[in-house]
Amino acid sequence: MVLTTLIGGDRETRTLADGTYMIGRNPSCPVCFSFPDVSERHAILTVRNGKAIIEDLHSANGTYVNGEQIDGPVTLDSGMVVQIGESMLRVCDENDWAANAAEPAARESPVEEQVNAAPVAEDNEEAPPPDPLRELRRSVQEQIQKELLKRMDMKRLTMQGVDREGLEDTAREKIRQIIDEVVANGRLPDGIDPVRLEDDVFNEAMRLGPLEDLLADDTVSEIMVNGPDKVYIERGGKLILSDCQFTDDASVLSVIERIIAPLGRRCDESQPYVDARLADGSRVNAIIAPLALSGPTITIRKFSKKALTPDDFIRFGTWTHNAAEFMKLCVWLRKNVIVAGGTGSGKTTLLNLLSGYIPHSERIVTVEDAAELRLQQPHVVRLEARPPNIEGKGAVPIRDLVKNCLRMRPDRIIVGECRGGEALDMLQAMNTGHDGSLTTVHANSPRDVISRLETMVLMSGMELPSRAIREQIASAVDIIIHESRLSDGSRKVTAITEVTGLEGNQIVMQDLFAFKQSGVGPDGKIIGEFKPTGAMPTWFDQLAGRGIKCDPRMFDPDCTADFTVERKK
């Protein structure tokens, strides 16, 4: 088949193979008309066995054949002219193309037409072929969703007290009925699986749309939605462009709303960005227009469905058996521990793991911006900061929660992340009898943690002298465990450092364990070794008096044996 398009005085001709061709204003459409009166996905043209069928996709301004608006599929013959907005097109058999090429409406000479047509054919050969089946599936999905909205009275069901599970069951039943009707009428295009279509429509209508498959994929660690057409994922530490796509900006916005609505948060023009979480604890950040110029943007950092254990960290090469035993010892001894690292280095995951060493007999209070920690102990009180309401009032920051939790008789305080003035309150809590506290800080090295803490204390508005701040830090912080995300995508603990005290104006620290990179393998993997430095904790001599058995060879860099810390019952 040959397609001839006429836009103003410009005429283009191309050969169409059997398949489906989306027509619309979206640049991804194989037949693109860039006019305001043309919808993003206006109509779809199907060519099969020498026949061409056009169907309008519920466009705003309609599709016309020979001057009459169509409301269903229309089979085209060589004499029919299709009008979409200000553009016209005609499909004819290749044998009739010569006659149609001489159409007076074109008002062009044969020589000019050949010159103009040649580059178009060449460009079409070099351009990557569109995926017509995907476009067709998306258009069918849109039509079924519109029909679903007509048949489901969401407001009435909600007023009747139908819970979310009941709404989902009703939606699933309605979707199945609609698809069954489409199949029975022979309207479902070839190559579209009705079962998969049912799942796609259900996920788009009631859940998180195209993201559901990515969330269920355990190999995906992060999902990044850069507008409706670009969804990147992180798999094995590498970024990959997935084939997942949304219908339009509105569908991305509806997913954002479904995530934040149960949390009582909002994302609109007055507050165009939000932090949230999924039911499994996965971290979510969303930002929309006018701040996000490329469309609504969602970033989801997935948490493992299975809680990671120290053995998992050893198997991944994150740390060693002796390092895990030492950190268990630090938690037992109620040492104040700061987990540091860059963005995406695994600080929260490591904090979760360290919290597992806390005895089940202790009362734990957690304070977070968005509740992500998943503690296994029975006596846990979880506090979550609250953003301001639509009037800009009612905000409860982390700092206020840290102050409040001091009155809640905590044995341990865990702050999900210190990023501001709450660092001062956390240090004061550590210095006033709340030993064994845990928190995370963004920093590039253990030494940088000290500088970051000083800066955050100053952010509290307290004009304290530098020496007073450092005295607070040296007295409060016992252990800094630093984790890094290396160039090969792996996450490793690169240092376990003890804060030993203050000499003059300088905080003194010593590395107890450290990772040393020795090279890069042929596959790009980092080669190195995580082992003791030879230094021993300054409080090692106190272990025997505390009823804890720990072999000093654990800190010998030349010893390769694995040791276990034991505590007398």
Side-chain angles (χ1 to χ4, degrees):
M1 304 293 288
V2 175
L3 171 69
T4 302
T5 58
L6 184 64
I7 306 174
D10 297 328
R11 177 179 178 181
E12 290 186 3
T13 303
R14 71 181 78 175
T15 302
L16 300 180
D18 283 4
T20 55
Y21 300 86
M22 188 66 63
I23 304 172
R25 191 173 72 242
N26 193 304
S28 64
C29 294
V31 182
C32 180
F33 297 136
S34 301
F35 296 105
D37 54 354
V38 178
S39 300
E40 287 281 325
R41 291 173 178 81
H42 195 106
I44 190 163
L45 178 67
T46 304
V47 177
R48 187 174 289 114
N49 299 327
K51 293 183 178 181
I53 301 173
I54 194 164
E55 182 175 1
D56 185 79
L57 297 178
H58 301 284
S59 62
N61 297 310
T63 301
Y64 295 81
V65 175
N66 287 348
E68 294 185 2
Q69 186 172 0
I70 63 174
D71 57 4
V74 174
T75 301
L76 302 176
D77 60 32
S78 58
M80 291 182 173
V81 176
V82 179
Q83 183 173 355
I84 296 177
E86 301 177 8
S87 311
M88 291 187 292
L89 58 87
R90 173 177 291 177
V91 182
C92 60
D93 187 84
E94 293 184 2
N95 296 328
D96 299 329
W97 177 75
N100 288 317
E103 182 182 356
R107 298 180 182 179
E108 298 177 12
S109 67
V111 175
E112 291 174 339
E113 183 175 337
Q114 292 175 7
V115 172
N116 291 330
V120 173
E122 182 179 351
D123 288 345
N124 286 335
E125 291 176 359
E126 294 180 357
D131 186 353
L133 185 60
R134 177 190 292 177
E135 297 294 335
L136 178 61
R137 186 187 297 112
R138 289 176 66 178
S139 67
V140 172
Q141 184 175 329
E142 287 178 27
Q143 294 180 57
I144 294 176
Q145 287 169 352
K146 291 178 181 178
E147 183 64 24
L148 176 65
L149 290 175
K150 294 178 183 177
R151 299 191 185 189
M152 274 192 73
D153 190 345
M154 297 291 289
K155 184 176 181 181
R156 179 179 59 82
L157 291 173
T158 303
M159 299 222 12
Q160 289 177 350
V162 179
D163 58 11
R164 180 170 182 81
E165 185 176 351
L167 287 174
E168 290 186 353
D169 291 341
T170 303
R172 176 75 76 172
E173 181 181 352
K174 295 290 185 184
I175 294 169
R176 191 175 292 118
Q177 290 176 359
I178 296 170
I179 294 178
D180 288 345
E181 293 173 9
V182 172
V183 173
N185 294 331
R187 298 285 300 278
L188 188 67
D190 296 337
I192 296 181
D193 180 10
V195 176
R196 175 63 186 273
L197 180 62
E198 177 186 327
D199 290 337
D200 289 345
V201 175
F202 176 77
N203 289 335
E204 182 82 18
M206 303 302 296
R207 293 185 178 172
L208 302 185
L211 301 183
E212 286 292 332
D213 289 342
L214 299 179
L215 291 170
D217 188 347
D218 292 337
T219 65
V220 175
S221 57
E222 198 145 358
I223 303 170
M224 291 145 280
V225 180
N226 301 347
D229 298 324
K230 290 184 180 179
V231 179
Y232 286 86
I233 60 174
E234 182 186 71
R235 180 180 281 129
K238 303 296 183 181
L239 291 181
I240 305 169
L241 178 62
S242 74
D243 58 358
C244 167
Q245 288 187 345
F246 288 84
T247 305
D248 49 27
D249 285 353
S251 63
V252 183
L253 291 172
S254 67
V255 166
I256 296 174
E257 184 62 28
R258 287 192 202 110
I259 293 173
I260 65 177
L263 305 177
R265 304 199 173 196
R266 62 189 179 88
C267 188
D268 49 38
E269 286 190 4
S270 61
Q271 181 69 38
Y273 55 88
V274 65
D275 289 320
R277 67 181 187 278
L278 300 181
D280 64 355
S282 296
R283 182 185 307 172
V284 181
N285 174 269
I287 184 167
I288 63 174
L291 303 185
L293 302 182
S294 57
T297 301
I298 307 174
T299 306
I300 301 176
R301 182 171 300 163
K302 290 176 57 181
F303 281 178
S304 174
K305 294 182 176 64
K306 181 178 83 69
L308 296 179
T309 65
D311 290 338
D312 291 327
F313 270 48
I314 296 169
R315 181 163 46 86
F316 298 153
T318 304
W319 62 8
T320 62
H321 173 85
N322 288 341
E325 288 295 306
F326 174 71
M327 289 312 304
K328 178 171 68 174
L329 173 64
C330 292
V331 176
W332 280 358
L333 293 175
R334 302 180 65 86
K335 298 297 181 183
N336 294 321
V337 178
I338 293 181
V339 179
T343 301
S345 59
K347 298 185 299 298
T348 305
T349 303
L350 182 55
L351 185 65
N352 254 322
L353 186 144
L354 294 177
S355 68
Y357 293 136
I358 299 175
H360 285 223
S361 59
E362 297 187 9
R363 174 178 170 88
I364 306 169
V365 179
T366 68
V367 180
E368 301 174 82
D369 245 343
E372 301 168 359
L373 296 172
R374 293 179 292 174
L375 276 63
Q376 306 302 316
Q377 288 81 354
H379 197 167
V380 178
V381 179
R382 306 175 70 197
L383 305 180
E384 184 179 49
R386 187 176 70 183
N389 59 21
I390 196 168
E391 298 175 351
K393 301 178 181 179
V396 181
I398 283 185
R399 187 173 185 189
D400 290 350
L401 294 180
V402 173
K403 292 178 182 177
N404 184 79
C405 75
L406 298 179
R407 305 182 183 95
M408 299 174 65
R409 200 268 178 208
D411 289 313
R412 309 262 186 165
I413 299 174
I414 300 179
V415 179
E417 181 180 341
C418 281
R419 60 165 69 95
E422 64 271 7
L424 175 61
D425 302 288
M426 186 69 191
L427 292 175
Q428 289 179 331
M430 292 176 174
N431 277 324
T432 54
H434 297 88
D435 297 330
S437 298
L438 304 170
T439 188
T440 68
V441 170
H442 278 86
N444 293 326
S445 70
R447 176 58 64 180
D448 284 345
V449 172
I450 306 301
S451 301
R452 284 274 296 149
L453 287 175
E454 288 187 56
T455 303
M456 288 188 288
V457 168
L458 294 174
M459 291 170 64
S460 68
M462 302 292 290
E463 297 182 2
L464 298 174
S466 177
R467 181 173 177 82
I469 297 174
R470 293 182 182 180
E471 285 177 350
Q472 286 277 318
I473 295 173
S475 176
V477 179
D478 296 308
I479 296 293
I480 297 173
I481 177 168
H482 188 268
E483 192 171 12
S484 296
R485 180 178 175 183
L486 304 182
S487 58
D488 61 354
S490 63
R491 295 170 173 87
K492 295 184 183 296
V493 173
T494 54
I496 298 178
T497 304
E498 180 192 12
V499 178
T500 60
L502 185 68
E503 291 185 1
N505 282 330
Q506 187 70 26
I507 291 180
V508 181
M509 308 163 64
Q510 64 172 357
D511 288 341
L512 303 178
F513 294 82
F515 176 80
K516 293 185 178 180
Q517 181 177 339
S518 57
V520 180
D523 56 352
K525 293 291 183 182
I526 299 296
I527 300 174
E529 188 177 8
F530 183 74
K531 64 179 183 179
T533 61
M536 294 184 65
T538 55
W539 36 262
F540 183 82
D541 294 338
Q542 304 172 12
L543 297 182
R546 303 284 294 270
I548 296 177
K549 181 182 178 181
C550 178
D551 197 313
R553 290 177 295 171
M554 174 187 290
F555 304 99
D556 185 354
D558 298 324
C559 182
T560 58
D562 291 338
F563 300 97
T564 301
V565 176
E566 298 178 0
R567 180 167 54 179
K568 293 181 182 179
K569 296 182 180 179

